[in-house]
Amino acid sequence: MKCSMHSSRWPGSPYLAVLFLCLSPSAWSATPVDYLSPLEQEVVKELNFARTQPQAYAEIVAELLPYHRGYRSERPGRVTLRTQDGRTAIEEAVRFLRKATPLEPLKPSPGMSLAALGHAQDLKHTGNIGHGGSDGSQPWDRLNRYGEWQIMAGENVALGSETARDVVISLLVNDRVQTRRHPKNMFQPDFRLVGVACGEHGQYGTVCVMDLAADFVEGRGDFRLRRDDGRARLALNRRHLPKSMSGPSRKPLSLD
């Protein structure tokens, strides 16, 4: 199992991403689900907008270009920042999206969202920014607590993003990451499901964890609503989980 982690900052913003045309909203919006917060539902919709209409999304990302002068990002109403790759990262993201093949939208998963929530809360309390949990867990461990990921899975972490569009663009624009792995991960055609959890982060203000998988067997648990920090959440009665959740999979996770 080979995994790698990269960090990147979206040019023109304080957002840090860590990696594992007009369109009718009905074409890409997800069905509302009560276990995701409004922001998390918007992240799913924004990600699916990019996946299903990459050429249209390329023009949205291209709107950042006029605000970059050399290696400085000077967006109105934002703090002026010095980037490492300058306009190059944005231009590469735009080219990638313009050439990308439209994909099917991802469907939200309650179990995968719980796995993402656990890590988001852990990052909040520890101040960390990576994929490793304070209990030594990795993304595949957390996914298998609430079901079983199959075939292929991945995890993205975005920090400092206040809106769903910030989250998605910060992962598409890979300033400081030469491999530009984030867009490839988000546009992995084998991925069909997504779990999302967003919350507070001590250093960057906000954190948003995105888990993706080709398939996921939901735990046979008693899912029930509970309130966590004023938001509707799902809690899983783990007594009803299958005895084994960690069977072999054919492809490793992709961490970016």
Side-chain angles (χ1 to χ4, degrees):
M1 182 174 294
K2 182 179 181 181
C3 302
S4 61
M5 182 178 73
H6 306 280
S7 299
S8 65
R9 190 178 298 279
W10 172 21
S13 80
Y15 310 133
L16 180 73
V18 182
L19 282 134
F20 178 70
L21 300 170
C22 296
L23 174 69
S24 170
S26 61
W28 53 269
S29 61
T31 301
V33 286
D34 54 9
Y35 54 84
L36 297 179
S37 71
L39 173 59
E40 292 159 356
Q41 293 189 53
E42 287 299 316
V43 170
V44 174
K45 291 194 291 184
E46 192 74 15
L47 173 59
N48 283 335
F49 180 13
R51 279 176 60 97
T52 60
Q53 292 288 326
Q55 286 72 40
Y57 212 83
E59 304 315 307
I60 293 175
V61 177
E63 293 175 358
L64 297 175
L65 288 170
Y67 303 112
H68 281 259
R69 294 168 176 81
Y71 290 95
R72 293 171 61 86
S73 171
E74 301 176 350
R75 298 181 65 201
R78 302 290 183 98
V79 176
T80 298
L81 295 175
R82 180 175 178 80
T83 65
Q84 178 170 304
D85 298 332
R87 294 168 57 95
T88 301
I90 299 176
E91 292 169 344
E92 289 185 14
V94 171
R95 286 196 297 270
F96 173 88
L97 289 166
R98 286 174 175 169
K99 295 179 180 179
T101 300
L103 301 173
E104 291 295 318
L106 299 170
K107 297 180 180 179
S109 158
M112 291 173 60
S113 295
L114 279 173
L117 172 62
H119 193 47
Q121 291 179 332
D122 188 42
L123 295 179
K124 170 187 175 181
H125 294 306
T126 63
N128 294 333
I129 62 173
H131 298 285
S134 60
D135 59 355
S137 66
Q138 293 297 326
W140 52 89
D141 301 314
R142 296 187 290 269
L143 285 169
N144 283 347
R145 289 170 180 168
Y146 304 105
E148 184 177 7
W149 67 273
Q150 298 183 337
I151 303 174
M152 188 176 190
E155 180 177 88
N156 293 334
V157 180
L159 296 113
S161 302
E162 298 181 0
T163 70
R165 182 151 294 177
D166 291 341
V167 170
V168 173
I169 293 182
S170 71
L171 294 170
L172 287 169
V173 178
N174 281 192
D175 185 55
R176 303 175 187 271
V177 180
Q178 294 182 353
T179 60
R180 304 292 194 250
R181 177 61 192 174
H182 294 125
K184 298 175 184 177
N185 197 26
M186 297 166 70
F187 279 80
Q188 168 56 249
D190 291 334
F191 287 154
R192 297 175 50 251
L193 302 170
V194 64
V196 176
C198 301
E200 298 177 354
H201 190 274
Q203 181 179 357
Y204 290 96
T206 63
V207 58
C208 192
V209 178
M210 178 189 301
D211 287 335
L212 307 101
D215 202 359
F216 184 78
V217 179
E218 300 284 347
R220 296 194 298 273
D222 176 19
F223 286 95
R224 52 188 168 80
L225 280 175
R226 67 178 173 85
R227 292 286 170 177
D228 181 33
D229 297 330
R231 295 185 300 174
R233 289 296 190 187
L234 279 176
L236 176 64
N237 183 342
R238 296 179 63 186
R239 292 177 299 175
H240 297 281
L241 284 173
K243 293 183 179 180
S244 176
M245 283 293 193
S246 57
S249 299
R250 294 193 292 276
K251 292 183 180 180
L253 277 90
S254 175
L255 302 181
D256 293 286

